[in-house]
Amino acid sequence: MKILTKVGCACLLCIFAFSNVQAQQKGFAFGIKGGVNLSRLTMGDVFTTRYDENGNPYLGYDGKEVRDNLKESFNTRTGAVGGIWMRFGRTIFIQPEVLISTKGGSFKIIQHDQETPVEKTINVKYSNIDVPLLIGLKGGPFRILAGPVASFRIGDSQRLRDAFKYYTSDLNNAMSEATFGYQLGAGLDLGNFSLDVRKEGSFTNLASFQVSGQQATGGSVKQKLSSWQVTLGLKLF
């Protein structure tokens, strides 16, 4: 059995080496990668009326409708990213990827239902399946690349939903199911290892909502995401 095991391992190594040579000749590469996201939410500064569970304006201590102030924050969140990548071509190449990614940020809610306004910070965390489709140019070990990315939401922090339920009766529409953005950056290849640094932005809103069919006073609430991504990759073949 030990001999058969050794023979089997040797055959697998030969197949892997042959596949690697063939892939290099055809200008194809496949690998895995992992790293971190450093992201921040952008949403502007708006006032919006708070509503109760029955869709009626929420009244404060003075009997008037409560209008809370929603403000963006400059705080950032660190998340993780990991997945697979493929590369077609050598000097000019196309690089699709499939990544599991966590991103987020924070925003502030200044509540006016008491005599003294109360400020709360809502920390947001998203879990996505990101699918970038990048076009790049390679010279020596250095690469530059850019392209669109589609993100499919697979999870949200509960605090985000708790915050939004006061300002919209249709939570499913407030939380976008898929968003589109872009990535651009540079990379360095050293043997089978690669290092990438990218800037990521949004074309579409991560979340937006209307209150009782009307836009929030002072502008609708529209959240977008801006992030930096640093990853280390390993070429398998």
Side-chain angles (χ1 to χ4, degrees), residues 33 87 93 95 97 134-146 184-190 193-199 229-233:
K33 64 186 305 185
R87 188 177 302 159
F93 62 88
Q95 183 166 316
E97 300 176 353
L134 308 171
I135 298 176
L137 178 65
K138 182 175 181 179
F142 299 101
R143 292 176 285 108
I144 56 173
L145 66 173
L184 58 91
L188 175 66
D189 294 331
L190 296 174
F193 293 94
S194 60
L195 176 67
D196 281 80
V197 179
R198 300 178 189 172
K199 169 69 174 177
Q229 184 180 97
V230 180
T231 57
L232 180 65

Side-chain angles (χ1 to χ4, degrees), residues 226-237:
S226 176
S227 63
W228 286 93
Q229 184 180 97
V230 180
T231 57
L232 180 65
L234 173 64
K235 181 175 67 175
L236 299 179
F237 62 82

